[in-house]
Amino acid sequence: FRSPSQSHTGNGINGQGTQGTQGQGTQSLNSDPFNLRAEEMAMADCCLGLEIRRTWSEQELVRSFGGRMPPGTPDGMFETWDGTLTCVQVVRVPLVSGADDASLQHTLTQTILSKIVKSQTWLRFSSVSPHEFIIFCWLPFAVEDSVRSHVETLISRVRLLDHRFSARLRLPAEPGTIFPALFACNYDFLSARSRSLSESDISTFVDCEGGDGDEDEICQWDITWDWAEMAEMAEMAEMA
């Protein structure tokens, strides 16, 4: 993989990105104002304190294959001046007020695993090789430490399979700015229709950069997937 500063035509990145983009509008595939604010605030959080060289919007990162657009397109990507490339996938977690900790843990687990599985699909289509892929989770209300610890343990196991992924849990100062009044009202219905995910659904990623093997060696992925299942997962993600 070549850094975006070196080549944009050889690594699957369309366009040159945008320099000095902090504070500019988000080019999202979902124009809902609540979603736009969620993505803009998440990108600002991820870029905080970093010297950003350029960023890419979700529209610039869209890929297609055989006339289909796979799920998992990052909501944004940025490169710092030291060449570090970071992808960000933003999700507003459909937590229900009054649910017990076990239910909250289950919802967070399914939400994060769904985003990771779909993000891996996008990575297979593209030639982008980020140093980090952040699953940025907005929470509608504060959760107990036990719920946060559950997510930390989940991610530590996920990173044994694909070290690029991490998760951030954030509570907005004013949840109403990104969570509409009836947010997550259909989550139970949609989740009941979908297959439950587990860590076994995550593909193992082997980083070939810096290896001692043959220069022509190609990192192998299992790139078979069920389009119907992906469409079902995308339907659940629409509320996010």
Side-chain angles (χ1 to χ4, degrees):
F1 171 74
R2 284 179 267 180
S3 168
S5 61
Q6 295 173 301
S7 172
H8 291 270
T9 59
N11 63 10
I13 300 177
N14 296 324
Q16 296 294 319
T18 306
Q19 297 188 14
T21 56
Q22 294 190 56
Q24 295 189 10
T26 300
Q27 292 180 295
S28 174
L29 298 179
N30 182 348
S31 60
D32 174 75
F34 291 96
N35 177 73
L36 291 177
R37 281 192 291 271
E39 292 181 1
E40 291 171 356
M41 290 164 57
M43 289 298 294
D45 184 283
C46 292
C47 293
L48 185 65
L50 301 177
E51 295 186 3
I52 306 301
R53 182 175 186 180
R54 55 169 60 91
T55 67
W56 289 263
S57 70
E58 184 178 19
Q59 291 182 9
E60 292 174 302
L61 298 172
V62 169
R63 298 290 176 268
S64 64
F65 179 78
R68 297 176 181 268
M69 185 179 72
T73 301
D75 294 304
M77 182 171 74
F78 61 88
E79 179 193 26
T80 54
W81 279 96
D82 63 2
T84 299
L85 195 66
T86 303
C87 294
V88 182
Q89 183 70 261
V90 184
V91 56
R92 292 170 293 164
V93 185
L95 299 181
V96 178
S97 179
D100 58 25
D101 284 359
S103 297
L104 299 178
Q105 291 172 4
H106 176 76
T107 300
L108 275 162
T109 295
Q110 291 302 304
T111 300
I112 292 172
L113 290 179
S114 173
K115 290 296 182 181
I116 291 175
V117 169
K118 289 186 290 185
S119 296
Q120 285 191 322
T121 301
W122 179 83
L123 288 167
R124 296 184 190 108
F125 275 87
S126 71
S127 299
V128 179
S129 183
H131 294 76
E132 183 178 13
F133 202 123
I134 301 172
I135 307 300
F136 194 102
C137 301
W138 284 117
L139 306 181
F141 50 82
V143 296
E144 297 292 337
D145 288 343
S146 59
V147 177
R148 290 181 173 273
S149 296
H150 174 82
V151 172
E152 292 174 1
T153 301
L154 170 67
I155 291 300
S156 67
R157 294 197 300 266
V158 166
R159 287 177 61 82
L160 296 177
L161 300 171
D162 193 333
H163 65 83
R164 299 170 295 181
F165 285 94
S166 65
R168 296 189 186 184
L169 304 184
R170 293 289 189 271
L171 176 67
E174 298 181 17
T177 60
I178 64 174
F179 289 99
L182 297 179
F183 186 81
C185 63
N186 293 326
Y187 176 75
D188 289 340
F189 171 74
L190 291 174
S191 61
R193 295 172 52 196
S194 302
R195 181 177 67 88
S196 181
L197 296 173
S198 70
E199 292 160 45
S200 64
D201 292 294
I202 298 175
S203 300
T204 300
F205 172 73
V206 179
D207 191 350
C208 295
E209 290 189 7
D212 297 327
D214 191 326
E215 291 183 357
D216 295 328
E217 181 181 353
I218 300 176
C219 293
Q220 298 296 322
W221 288 82
D222 175 6
I223 60 173
T224 60
W225 55 83
D226 186 334
W227 282 109
E229 182 177 313
M230 287 298 180
E232 191 174 83
M233 291 167 60
E235 182 180 0
M236 281 194 65
E238 285 182 357
M239 69 171 60

